[in-house]
Structure formats: structure tokens, C-alpha cells
Amino acid sequence: MSGNTMRWTPQDWPIACAMIPFAPVQDAGPAAWARDLGQVAAAGFDAVDPTDSWLRLADLDDAGRARFVAICRDLGLTVPAISTSRRSVIDPVQGDDHLAYCHRVIDCAADLGAGHVSFGLFGPLSDAQRAALWFWTEPGVTNPDDPATRALAVARIRDLGRHAADRGIQVALEMYEDTYLGTASDAVAFVTDVDLPSVRLNIDIGNLIRLHRPVQPWAEMIALCAPFAGYWHVKNYYRMTDPSGVILSHPAPMMGGTINWRAAINIALDLGFSSPFLVEHYGGDGLGVCAENRDYIRRILAQRRTLP
């Protein structure tokens, strides 16, 4: 599958809220899930991605999953997708476990009627990253410059993609620094090597624009990656370069940061993009900024003459 089977309008295009503004609730129980999801609904969202840094939905038992579904239904929230975070299938210690987990995520998404999952090859935060104000200012885990490991990554993602196709699910691979999806050209090469219609790119270029190092201009990344776009995490950053060469970044609302999201989204739509969006934001009132970003995307969609 490559997108929605019926045309969405600007008003009902799925725009999910990420749960990264909330603390993990895996062991907190349904009352905590309902508290956080209630805030999402109160912010005007009708869709949520139960990001697994908040809740590993695929690891709940049948009763827990049914309770989660009931809470979402009562709040008027749909689940168009499930995103994973730091569950790399080539992690040197937990790669096999993460692969099995990602298969469970695919089955969970299919059982819930979610059409999309997002996987990445980025590893756990380092001690320095956890101690930093913004984790991306410190170096993290790097995928090895090793053809055999990259080939393993391709093979395992292809395995997931075949399973996803069998269950009617679309996989999106998240772009992230220092992974095999860490630049636009690397991401395109990787998804091309996987070579399955059920596997596309999550062109989360905000992950790259925020880096305190030279990066490719956002417009060039979009031009390369938009033809491969699937489920899409969107966020923005202010990016500043001092005359001395020092590069700094800070989270920004989508409309105000370095990336021109109106242009980026329109380029993707012109190429037939027809997957849900996920709005994210770090710092401050993350939920409030996500709600503003949702409304901004809807204005962009409404101002187009036609949609895919």
C-alpha cells in the first residue's frame, strides 16, 4: 500500500499528536494513559500516535490494549500510526529483541486498524545526551561503517516490510543522524536497496537541521527524499551560524523555523504524498506547539487547489 484508499480533505487528513511531551507510562496503568490522552484530546486532536517512548502498546496484554482502545474511543481519538524510538534492529546487544518487537508493532498496528508504523536505526541515548539540555548537541550511537552490518539492516528491514505488506501496513524509515538513514542520499540509497513498495521514508529532516554541525540545506533534502515519503514526522528548529563558525539550534514552531514547511509539504503533495502526518516538538509547551503545528498544516492543505 502507498497511501490512503480514499481522498482525504484538509479537514480530515490524519494529523497525529506525538506523545513525546509526556513522561513514560508503561507501568502506570490506564488512569495515567487516560490523563495524558485527555490532554491531547482537549488540545483539539482527533488522532494520536502512541509513541513507544511513552507507551509500548505492542507489549500490552489483550486486556490492556482493549482498555487503551476504549480510552481513545471515548476521547474521540484515532490511531493512524505507531512510531518506535531507539529500537534499532541492528543494535549490537538488543538487535534480535528489537526485531521481534518491531514485528509485534506491525501486528499491533494491523489489529488496531492503524495503517502505518515508523522504525529507525538510531540507538539509545548516551549518558552525555541524557545530561544535556538538548540531546542532539552531544554525540550519540553511530551505525558502523561496515558493509556487512548495513546489509543486515537492509535484510531485517526487508523482513519487516514483507510482514507489513502481508498485514496491510506501510513502513516508514526515520531519517536520523549517523545512521544508514543519516543523510538524504544515504536514506534514498537505503530504501532503494530494501526495494519494497511497503517500505518508504519518514523524511524527518528536523532531526538533521537541528544538528550543531554543517548539514545539507533542507530544500535539497526534500527534493531528494520527497519522492519516497511515507508517514511523516514534522517539526522545525531555528538554526543559527555565528561568524566564528559556531552552529546553534533551538526548537521552533513549524511556521517559524529554518525549514519552509509550506514549500516542503507542497513539494511532497505534488508528488502524490498521501500518508498521515505526526507533529512533534521538544521543550516548552510541546503539546501546545504541536496543536499550532496541526492547524498550520491544515491551512496549507486547505490552500491547495487539489489533493492527492
Side-chain angles (χ1 to χ4, degrees):
M1 60 183 291
S2 61
N4 54 307
T5 56
M6 60 183 298
R7 185 183 298 269
W8 287 320
T9 69
Q11 292 73 36
D12 64 14
W13 196 294
I15 303 175
C17 182
M19 296 305 288
I20 58 176
F22 299 96
V25 292
Q26 191 69 30
D27 300 320
W33 312 342
R35 177 198 63 216
D36 292 349
L37 292 170
Q39 292 186 59
V40 170
F45 281 96
D46 57 13
V48 65
D49 179 333
T51 320
D52 73 353
S53 57
W54 175 71
L55 178 66
R56 296 189 311 279
L57 197 59
D59 284 347
L60 296 179
D61 60 20
D62 290 344
R65 199 176 300 175
R67 184 68 185 118
F68 176 86
V69 169
I71 292 168
C72 288
R73 183 180 60 246
D74 291 345
L75 292 169
L77 294 170
T78 63
V79 180
I82 300 175
S83 292
T84 65
S85 178
R86 307 189 185 281
R87 313 285 175 182
S88 172
V89 296
I90 54 168
D91 183 276
V93 176
Q94 301 185 73
D96 291 348
D97 291 340
H98 289 170
L99 178 62
Y101 169 74
C102 289
H103 278 293
R104 294 198 301 276
V105 170
I106 290 169
D107 285 330
C108 179
D111 292 345
L112 265 62
H116 302 260
V117 296
S118 178
F119 299 138
L121 297 175
F122 48 107
L125 292 173
S126 66
D127 290 341
Q129 286 179 312
R130 283 192 291 269
L133 173 61
W134 303 122
F135 62 83
W136 56 85
T137 63
E138 295 288 346
V141 175
T142 299
N143 287 173
D145 183 14
D146 170 44
T149 304
R150 185 184 181 281
L152 176 64
V154 169
R156 288 189 163 187
I157 294 298
R158 190 179 291 139
D159 177 43
L160 291 169
R162 288 171 175 152
H163 180 193
D166 289 343
R167 297 302 311 268
I169 299 295
Q170 180 82 54
V171 172
L173 302 177
E174 184 172 354
M175 295 174 65
Y176 200 94
E177 76 269 14
D178 300 326
T179 73
Y180 300 134
L181 301 150
T183 69
S185 58
D186 285 349
V188 169
F190 189 91
V191 76
T192 300
D193 286 349
V194 173
D195 193 25
L196 289 175
S198 59
V199 179
R200 298 185 69 80
L201 290 180
N202 171 358
I203 52 176
D204 190 352
I205 62 172
N207 287 341
L208 307 180
I209 287 294
R210 69 192 178 191
L211 298 176
H212 288 196
R213 64 174 97 156
V215 296
Q216 189 174 20
W218 69 265
E220 293 180 9
M221 290 192 274
I222 290 293
L224 282 171
C225 296
F228 304 89
Y231 180 50
W232 200 352
H233 293 185
V234 292
K235 54 183 176 287
N236 213 346
Y237 292 84
Y238 298 110
R239 182 177 172 87
M240 297 150 283
T241 302
D242 185 86
S244 68
V246 173
I247 299 171
L248 301 173
S249 66
H250 191 280
M254 283 182 70
M255 189 168 64
T258 298
I259 302 165
N260 181 344
W261 276 109
R262 181 181 301 275
I265 290 171
N266 275 299
I267 289 169
L269 290 170
D270 287 342
L271 292 167
F273 173 77
S274 58
S275 296
F277 293 96
L278 174 74
V279 287
E280 297 182 300
H281 186 79
Y282 288 98
D285 179 4
L287 176 59
V289 176
C290 284
E292 291 183 355
N293 289 345
R294 173 203 64 217
D295 295 344
Y296 171 64
I297 293 172
R298 293 214 187 279
R299 291 196 299 272
I300 293 171
L301 297 174
Q303 289 165 10
R304 286 181 59 88
R305 290 178 180 267
T306 60
L307 293 173

